[in-house]
């Protein structure tokens, strides 16, 4: 009887081990395929855009706006929800950014083909104004912390103040402008608290007073901040937000301020 029980336990343990291995392999494969898809999308459309631009440049000089238009025309032919492209060298961030104001979290678990994907696709807060109609534009981009270096996992590297100050510029390509940002603050929050509510419900800046209030909020609540940057009203703000496990329902947000060498 004991021998039979022992065999049953062994069989159960083997099944658990095999099942866990299959699930882990499936998880890793899903992340790999998602990252490969984004890399292929970027490379393919940039190459197509370069060919089209070269043909045009035989006739006249091509401006930055024209380059961006060609690039985004190609991207949006594939998926019209693509509103921007975000890149941060050194953090493995090089992704399209989606915008679906009528279905805010549509890409939380979907890829650019609108199929299920565990890692999802970075997306803008649905309250974001993307028309550059305000003196200071505020963009909030969400993406998962996948724990494997993809999506926004590596934002956690910039909790360290030296890394924050020495980070490469964040590039945000949009159909009508290439915006460059420098990391200014890292803010660690807990969801459903007053501080987090204030931060994530600030989705637009309508006056100099509101801008200064926002910057003071960051200085008061930031885990790390760059004193090399002096934000002023009229600078654009980019927030990159992801999950953090420093507390239950934790959030990490990196706030970046636009530089003066934006190409419009």
């Amino acid at each position: 009887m004991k021998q039979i029980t022992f065999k049953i336990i062994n069989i159960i343990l083997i099944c658990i081990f095999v099942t866990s291995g299959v699930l882990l392999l499936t998880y890793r494969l899903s992340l790999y395929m998602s990252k490969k898809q984004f890399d292929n999308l970027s490379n393919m459309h940039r190459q197509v855009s370069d060919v089209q631009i070269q043909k045009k440049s035989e006739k006249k000089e091509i401006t930055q706006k024209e380059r961006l238009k060609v690039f985004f025309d190609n991207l949006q032919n594939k998926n019209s929800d693509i509103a921007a492209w975000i890149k941060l060298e050194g953090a493995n961030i090089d992704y399209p950014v989606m915008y679906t104001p009528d279905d805010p979290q549509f890409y939380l678990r979907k890829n650019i083909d609108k199929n299920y994907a565990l890692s999802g696709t970075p997306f803008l807060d649905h309250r974001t104004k993307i028309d550059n109609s305000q003196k200071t534009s505020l963009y909030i981009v969400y993406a998962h912390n996948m724990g494997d270096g993809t999506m926004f996992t590596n934002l956690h590297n910039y909790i360290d103040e030296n890394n924050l100050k020495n980070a490469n510029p964040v590039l945000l390509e949009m159909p009508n402008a290439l915006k460059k940002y420098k990391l200014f603050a890292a803010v660690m929050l807990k969801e459903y608290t007053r501080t987090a509510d204030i931060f994530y419900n600030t989705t637009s800046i309508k006056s100099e007073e509101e801008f200064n209030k926002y910057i003071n909020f960051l200085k008061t609540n930031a885990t790390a901040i760059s004193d090399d940057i002096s934000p002023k009203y009229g600078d654009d703000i980019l927030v990159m937000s992801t999950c953090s496990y420093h507390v239950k329902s934790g959030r990490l947000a990196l706030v970046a301020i636009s530089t003066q060498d934006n190409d419009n």
Side-chain angles (χ1 to χ4, degrees), residues 123-128 138-143 152 155 186-204 214 217-218 238-244 246 249-255:
F123 60 94
L124 281 162
D125 189 289
H126 68 285
R127 298 162 293 182
T128 299
L138 173 57
Y139 306 103
I140 304 177
V141 181
Y142 302 99
F152 281 2
L155 293 186
V187 187
M188 302 188 78
L189 301 157
K190 179 177 172 61
E191 199 174 10
Y192 311 119
T193 61
R194 183 173 181 274
T195 303
D197 287 346
I198 291 172
F199 181 76
Y200 284 110
N201 284 319
T202 303
T203 58
S204 65
Y214 186 86
F217 174 90
L218 294 176
L238 171 65
V239 177
M240 296 177 287
S241 177
T242 193
C243 295
S244 177
H246 65 289
S249 300
R251 296 290 181 269
L252 168 64
L254 291 190
V255 182

Side-chain angles (χ1 to χ4, degrees), residues 99-145:
Y99 183 58
T100 53
D102 295 330
D103 191 355
Q105 296 191 0
F106 181 82
Y107 286 96
L108 185 69
R109 295 294 182 189
K110 286 187 172 64
N111 60 23
I112 52 173
D113 293 325
K114 302 183 181 182
N115 297 320
Y116 177 82
L118 185 66
S119 58
T121 307
F123 60 94
L124 281 162
D125 189 289
H126 68 285
R127 298 162 293 182
T128 299
K129 297 183 183 298
I130 61 173
D131 58 2
N132 296 313
S133 60
Q134 297 179 317
K135 185 170 183 179
T136 285
S137 294
L138 173 57
Y139 306 103
I140 304 177
V141 181
Y142 302 99
H144 289 294
N145 173 6

